[in-house]
């Protein structure tokens, strides 16, 4: 059991999401940075899809009501356990009664608290993710509030954790060759032209050439971008069609919206481009007020990046297993 | 299929976005949207339902989302050559036979007019009809559920009389109530969530249409027949 001591308004229980129900209008939801959840779960010995806490408003505090292994992944900055700074992206063991505090990270947006055994909230439609738009799943379909108590699942991994923990080189460092760092504070985000790109004529070029700012009216559903508006050459009334996270729609005002984890499942606004799936976690870690630029990408490039990220995940999995097996052999 | 009005004709003409051949476009690297040409009608949708069944059987498909005379296919993995996927989708469309899903009949009691019908005056202005006529035309029709989407359990209904087509709003309502009976372009439906909504409300329905704990969470399914039954008309 954990008890939430201090939570901002937008922290939720999330796993890797609830895909497969878009055809009945249910958003997949899931962590905005699924890579951080996967790595965290591997570190503490959970299945990849165990549920974690997504923290996006800081400070955040919780109390452990039992001895449990945990890791904090996602954002940069150091978690604090009973006043002591800890390494992020590393396993630790909390004793009953200890308090974990997460402070505002220096540059990134979202931290994940992953516990051994995962958060034991009910599985609804195949997932423990909070569906904020539908008001179900996760912790009673709503963000965490002070005083919430959440059960922890049974830990099935028989392999012991080293006393000093297991740490990983975080993705922004380990994968910097395929996920280039911001240039002059502008984050490069790769996208592929979508259905109505041509409708924007020369404004289509303006879309790729300018740096957009993530507006304060942005959340898990979508990021609204501020910049020089882009307009289609004709007004069309589109028939409603399925959409997925990453789709960049342009409403009549001319400022694009990127659909994120709690994306609408259908849309009718003209689509200028779609962010490649492997870059979505970087958007998930981009803060309100920060800037980004869209880079034209291809399926081949997306595939290469996905494969590199998958190799990194597999490498973390293999290495952590190896360390734990070696430790078990010694005891 | 073009609807104009005296006031808004210059800027808000309803034009179908698809003309000519079926086309496939991308959303990101894994999602492919096939949109079919021609009229927005039941024969076109029956072929979409058939296409949907075919594509669902492909081993590399993760999810299939039928829309209004269109289909979004999400692959399990990013394909090496997207043009091959485009070719397969177009071929499947060309071979798609008509499939008539036989659905259930759903009656939805509606309170037309009143506090929730915030856009009824605008619909009257756009159509040039009286509120009484707009309401009568809306409840006299029989609708088919073409597809679900946008919100949990939300059904896109086809069968709206062209006389009461009404473009989506340029500026969406910030907080439309769950249950509002709405018109968006050539489509009608019932709002499933309270929140921002660009469609136009002309009434209110109390029927619960989504339950996440049920094995069949959504009341509506593609192919179902829907009738709006006036429970009350308050004009």
């Amino acid at each position: 059991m954990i008890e939430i001591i201090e939570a901002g308004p937008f922290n939720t229980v999330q796993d890797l999401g609830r895909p497969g129900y878009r055809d009945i209008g249910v958003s997949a939801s899931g962590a905005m940075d699924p890579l951080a959840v996967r790595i965290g779960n591997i570190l503490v010995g959970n299945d990849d899809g165990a549920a974690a806490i997504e923290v996006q408003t800081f400070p955040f505090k919780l109390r452990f009501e039992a001895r449990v292994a945990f890791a904090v992944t996602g954002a940069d900055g150091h978690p604090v356990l009973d006043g002591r700074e800890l390494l992020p992206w590393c396993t630790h063991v909390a004793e009953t009664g200890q308090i974990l505090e997460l402070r505002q990270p220096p540059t990134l947006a979202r931290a994940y608290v992953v516990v051994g055994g995962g958060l034991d909230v009910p599985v609804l439609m195949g997932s423990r993710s909070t569906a904020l738009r539908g008001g179900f799943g996760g912790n009673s379909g709503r963000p965490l509030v002070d005083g919430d108590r959440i059960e922890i699942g049974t830990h099935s991994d028989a392999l012991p954790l080293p006393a000093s923990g297991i740490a990983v080189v975080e993705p922004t460092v380990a994968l910097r060759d395929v996920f280039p760092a911001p240039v002059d504070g502008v984050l490069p985000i790769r996208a592929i032209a979508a259905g109505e790109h041509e409708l924007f004529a020369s404004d289509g070029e303006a879309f790729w050439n300018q740096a957009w700012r993530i507006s304060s009216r942005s959340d898990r559903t979508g990021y609204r971008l501020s910049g020089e508006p882009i307009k289609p050459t004709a007004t069309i009334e589109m028939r409603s069609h399925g959409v997925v996270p990453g789709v960049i729609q342009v409403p009549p005002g001319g400022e694009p919206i990127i659909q994120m984890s709690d994306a609408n499942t259908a849309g009718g606004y003209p689509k200028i481009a779609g962010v490649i799936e492997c870059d979505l976690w970087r958007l998930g870690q981009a803060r309100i007020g920060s800037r980004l630029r869209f880079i034209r990408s291809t399926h081949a490039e997306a595939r290469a990046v996905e494969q590199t990220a998958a190799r990194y995940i597999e490498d973390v999995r293999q290495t952590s297993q190896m360390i734990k097996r070696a430790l078990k052999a010694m005891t | 299929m073009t609807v104009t009005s005296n006031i808004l004709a210059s800027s808000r003409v309803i034009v179908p976005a698809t003309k000519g051949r079926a086309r496939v476009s991308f959303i990101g690297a894994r999602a492919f949207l096939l949109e079919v040409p021609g009229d927005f009608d039941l024969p076109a949708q029956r072929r979409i339902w058939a296409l949907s069944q075919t594509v669902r059987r492909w081993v590399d498909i993760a999810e299939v989302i039928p829309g209004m005379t269109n289909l979004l296919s999400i692959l399990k993995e990013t394909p090496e050559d997207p043009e091959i996927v485009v070719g397969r989708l177009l071929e499947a469309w060309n071979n798609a036979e008509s499939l008539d899903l036989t659905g259930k009949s759903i009656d939805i009691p509606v309170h037309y007019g009143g506090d929730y019908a915030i856009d009824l005056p605008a619909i009257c202005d756009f159509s040039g009809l009286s509120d009484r006529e707009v309401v009568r035309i809306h409840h006299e029709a029989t609708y088919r559920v073409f597809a679900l989407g946008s919100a949990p359990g939300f059904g896109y209904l086809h069968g709206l009389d062209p006389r009461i087509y009404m473009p989506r709003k340029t500026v969406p309502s910030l907080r439309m109530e769950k249950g509002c009976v709405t018109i968006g372009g050539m489509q009608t439906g019932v709002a499933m969530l309270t929140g921002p909504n660009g469609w136009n409300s002309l009434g209110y329905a109390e029927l619960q249409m989504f339950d996440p704990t049920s094995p069949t969470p959504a009341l509506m399914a593609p192919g179902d027949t829907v009738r709006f039954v006036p429970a009350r008309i308050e004009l």
Side-chain angles (χ1 to χ4, degrees):
Chain A
M1 182 87 85
I2 53 174
E3 182 173 351
I4 308 303
I5 305 296
E6 184 179 353
F10 302 115
N11 303 323
T12 53
V13 173
Q14 298 291 341
D15 57 18
L16 297 180
R18 186 177 282 113
Y21 296 95
R22 290 180 175 96
D23 63 347
I24 58 167
V26 176
S27 311
S29 299
M32 292 279 273
D33 180 352
L35 185 54
V37 170
R38 276 181 203 280
I39 297 297
N41 276 328
I42 292 171
L43 285 178
V44 300
N46 291 343
D47 293 337
D48 277 17
I53 299 175
E54 178 176 271
V55 183
Q56 53 180 16
T57 27
F58 301 86
F60 174 81
K61 276 187 201 170
L62 65 80
R63 180 165 45 227
F64 294 100
E65 303 284 328
R67 186 172 199 272
V68 65
F70 73 96
V72 177
T73 59
D76 45 349
H78 294 263
V80 175
L81 187 68
D82 272 4
R84 187 167 52 94
E85 276 204 354
L86 303 177
L87 274 182
W89 299 92
C90 179
T91 59
H92 306 279
V93 174
E95 301 297 335
T96 303
Q98 285 196 304
I99 290 178
L100 176 70
E101 181 183 1
L102 306 186
R103 298 175 295 208
Q104 179 72 53
T107 61
L108 299 180
R110 293 177 172 88
Y112 294 86
V113 180
V114 186
V115 296
L119 299 178
D120 190 17
V121 298
V123 174
L124 267 183
M125 301 168 76
S127 165
R128 293 188 169 88
S129 279
T130 311
L132 285 176
R133 291 182 70 236
F136 64 89
N139 181 53
S140 310
R142 59 165 174 76
L144 298 169
V145 295
D146 297 0
D148 276 348
R149 295 164 68 82
I150 303 176
E151 295 285 351
I152 294 174
T154 320
H155 200 230
S156 58
D157 191 357
L159 295 172
L161 280 171
S164 55
I166 301 177
V168 291
V169 179
E170 62 195 272
T172 44
V173 177
L175 295 170
R176 67 181 140 208
D177 287 349
V178 289
F179 294 109
V183 180
D184 296 330
V186 181
L187 180 69
I189 291 292
R190 287 163 288 209
I192 295 173
E196 287 69 59
H197 187 279
E198 281 172 21
L199 198 61
F200 289 86
S202 60
D203 276 12
E205 288 314 304
F207 166 78
W208 300 98
N209 290 339
Q210 65 175 303
W212 296 94
R213 188 176 293 277
I214 299 174
S215 118
S216 58
R217 292 173 307 142
S218 296
D219 54 22
R220 284 181 45 88
T221 300
Y223 285 6
R224 288 163 187 270
L225 304 179
S226 322
E228 201 54 48
I230 52 173
K231 296 281 172 74
T233 51
T235 305
I236 58 167
E237 185 78 14
M238 296 190 60
R239 296 173 189 170
S240 296
H241 56 79
V243 294
V244 287
V247 65
I248 307 168
Q249 299 165 313
V250 185
E255 293 189 313
I257 298 172
I258 315 174
Q259 294 283 330
M260 298 298 292
S261 290
D262 286 338
N264 212 326
T265 58
Y269 285 135
K271 308 171 289 300
I272 191 161
V275 175
I276 60 175
E277 289 76 356
C278 47
D279 269 8
L280 286 174
W281 71 273
R282 308 194 82 203
L283 268 180
Q285 288 294 2
R287 290 238 284 256
I288 284 171
S290 66
R291 289 177 302 153
L292 60 90
R293 186 189 302 277
F294 295 105
I295 311 290
R296 282 177 190 269
S297 189
T298 61
H299 287 77
E301 182 180 39
R303 200 173 152 88
V305 175
E306 280 162 25
Q307 286 169 347
T308 306
R311 272 198 300 275
Y312 163 75
I313 293 169
E314 210 36 53
D315 190 40
V316 172
R317 192 192 316 278
Q318 303 267 343
T319 310
S320 66
Q321 285 289 311
M322 230 158 56
I323 293 170
K324 287 192 268 187
R325 263 191 242 111
L327 185 74
K328 195 178 182 193
M330 286 192 303
T331 53
Chain B
M1 197 183 301
T2 302
V3 176
T4 59
S5 87
N6 297 331
I7 10 167
L8 297 164
S10 58
S11 62
R12 299 295 295 164
V13 177
I14 299 185
V15 183
T18 50
K19 280 183 182 153
R21 293 178 58 237
R23 67 164 196 158
V24 177
S25 58
F26 309 135
I27 304 181
R30 284 200 297 131
F32 292 74
L33 179 65
L34 179 138
E35 295 167 276
V36 307
D39 287 341
F40 176 60
D41 59 15
L42 190 55
Q45 194 66 13
R46 283 183 180 139
R47 283 186 69 197
I48 286 291
W49 291 336
L51 176 69
S52 171
Q53 289 210 341
T54 304
V55 175
R56 260 179 228 282
R57 289 195 292 265
W58 293 355
V59 290
D60 54 346
I61 288 289
E63 254 181 273
V64 171
I65 303 143
M68 304 295 263
T69 68
N70 54 55
L71 187 81
L72 184 73
S73 304
I74 306 175
L75 270 63
K76 288 176 185 158
E77 280 181 23
T78 297
E80 240 161 276
D81 185 351
E83 291 308 322
I84 293 177
V85 181
V86 171
R88 280 165 63 201
L89 283 166
L90 289 175
E91 193 194 349
W93 167 251
N94 289 334
N95 294 332
E97 308 274 339
S98 178
L99 172 69
D100 198 14
L101 296 176
T102 43
K104 55 193 175 297
S105 295
I106 302 168
D107 283 356
I108 302 176
V110 179
H111 174 179
Y112 283 103
D115 290 347
Y116 294 110
I118 48 174
D119 305 298
L120 190 51
I123 299 172
C124 294
D125 285 350
F126 190 79
S127 62
L129 299 167
S130 72
D131 50 6
R132 207 155 289 280
E133 285 171 295
V134 169
V135 166
R136 185 181 55 79
I137 291 168
H138 190 263
H139 76 70
E140 279 184 355
T142 301
Y143 301 93
R144 278 310 273 287
V145 180
F146 265 25
L148 270 67
S150 172
F154 179 81
Y156 286 103
L157 306 181
H158 175 264
L160 191 67
D161 189 306
R163 284 176 292 172
I164 55 171
Y165 284 176
M166 177 74 187
R168 295 182 182 88
K169 296 175 199 180
T170 313
V171 181
S173 308
L174 281 180
R175 207 184 135 80
M176 184 176 281
E177 287 294 323
K178 172 185 176 181
C180 282
V181 176
T182 55
I183 293 174
M186 302 171 267
Q187 309 161 134
T188 185
V190 182
M192 290 287 160
L193 299 173
T194 298
N197 196 316
W199 290 28
N200 306 278
S201 177
L202 71 160
Y204 183 78
E206 272 181 13
L207 187 63
Q208 292 305 310
M209 286 176 255
F210 185 80
D211 174 7
T213 62
S214 161
T216 50
L219 172 66
M220 291 188 204
D224 286 354
T225 301
V226 172
R227 287 186 311 160
F228 291 109
V229 184
R232 189 172 166 202
I233 298 178
E234 184 185 350
L235 301 170

